[in-house]
Amino acid sequence: MIQIAVLGYGTVGSGVVEVIETNKTDINKKAAEDLSVKYILDLRDFPGDPYESKVVHDYSVILNDPEVKIICETMGGTKPAYDFTKQALLLGKSVCTSNKELVAAHGPELIKIAKENHCNYLFEASVGGGIPIIRPINYSLTAEHIDSITGILNGTTNYILTKMDREGADFEDVLKEAQEKGYAERNPEADVEGYDACRKIAILSSLMSGRNVSYEDIYTEGITKITSADFKYAKQMNKSIKLLALSRDTQDGFFAMVAPFLISREHPLYSVNDVFNAVYVHGNMLGDSMYYGRGAGKLPTASAVVSDVVDCARHQGKTIMCFWDEEKVEVADVTSARRKFFVRIAADQREAAMAVFGAMAEVNVGLMKEFGFMTQEMTEKEFNEKIEKTGGCINRIRIMA
């Protein structure tokens, strides 16, 4: 019998208990051990809950119990999750987490501690919820040199942009509806400003390179400036707008960023809509592969946590290899990246734009007070210099090649 403790009995934590109890027979068979939740750590009491007898308020009870071999950290944030995780790993207790903030901030350190103490720090659920992506990168694609990853990694923003695309609605109206349906938090900043996707692409970029990509070094831009007018232009170009998180390992350096992009109908990520997520990976031998599913939610995320629990149960006393060293990757300045841009400017700036940008492709959707066009490929630095000479713009959106 392997005893498990769950830290945090919120949405994901309660889902972990539910998954373990509901699928107990299948899980025990796959783990080749009987698994049981012995403790649930939370500051609150849960009178009437079927597992209220397992709730404890003192973490030392869990740490000091030699029967507890695996801990599921579903608290979120870095404090006290970092201290709790580190203490557990130092005692040889494996930790499985859905906490992207903690993994992005301290992943290589915690992986190293786990290795030194013959246990595991696993985090499948930290990126993409129930989508298997960490395990494929670590195990299935080990013969590959992965040189690019592009993802739709946040269900809230994808839901908002999908509704704006389909209904011609404005950002604020769709955000309010998403909050009413529970798809967006009361304070949606982490989602709509791209911070959530930034941490997730930092984790994937680190696994892709085998070294540490700091989320603080990644250029991040959210969706708050996207309007219904932008989608009119997108439809005219047979494209849609997605918040993409991407990393590229190129001869010119390692690039990573999060920003809205115009994406064509031919791209596999075009059809990823609503709250679904997807990760598009390119390897030098395999070529392209895509991993798609529910990127958040109670049971999809909990399912991924429990898959790590099963892996830990199978590898008691052994460390599962994870190539993520503490050596830091220097992320190249985004201004040197080359791409095309879609630009909206005031109608009276048209001649100035034509003089500065030269060859361009006009996009006309009948908005008389403005002028829309696509640029030729250029660096971000060149674009910024040219648009400043033009007198600024209403909006600009990068175009995915």
Side-chain angles (χ1 to χ4, degrees), residues 349-398:
Q349 294 175 275
R350 178 175 180 172
E351 289 187 9
M354 293 179 71
V356 171
F357 283 94
M360 59 173 65
E362 180 180 353
V363 185
N364 189 348
V365 294
L367 297 177
M368 302 303 294
K369 293 183 179 181
E370 60 182 70
F371 175 66
F373 64 96
M374 287 189 290
T375 72
Q376 298 297 307
E377 184 178 285
M378 62 187 68
T379 66
E380 298 240 357
K381 181 180 179 181
E382 290 171 330
F383 172 80
N384 292 336
E385 291 170 349
K386 289 177 183 291
I387 202 64
E388 186 176 347
K389 291 178 182 178
T390 305
C393 61
I394 298 169
N395 200 7
R396 64 93 181 87
I397 305 174
R398 298 166 178 88

Side-chain angles (χ1 to χ4, degrees), residues 107-177:
E109 176 195 358
L110 296 173
I111 290 167
K112 182 180 179 183
I113 293 172
K115 183 178 180 180
E116 290 171 348
N117 291 276
H118 310 291
C119 57
N120 287 287
Y121 183 60
L122 302 183
F123 43 91
E124 181 65 67
S126 66
V127 178
I131 303 172
I133 184 60
I134 306 297
R135 203 169 272 106
I137 291 176
N138 275 341
Y139 310 152
S140 305
L141 302 178
T142 50
E144 293 293 312
H145 171 70
I146 298 173
D147 52 31
S148 73
I149 295 177
T150 306
I152 294 173
L153 300 178
N154 182 273
T156 298
T157 51
N158 205 43
Y159 173 84
I160 291 171
L161 292 174
T162 300
K163 293 280 285 187
M164 292 176 71
D165 190 3
R166 290 174 177 169
E167 301 176 8
D170 288 318
F171 170 78
E172 292 294 343
D173 294 334
V174 179
L175 172 59
K176 183 178 179 181
E177 180 183 334

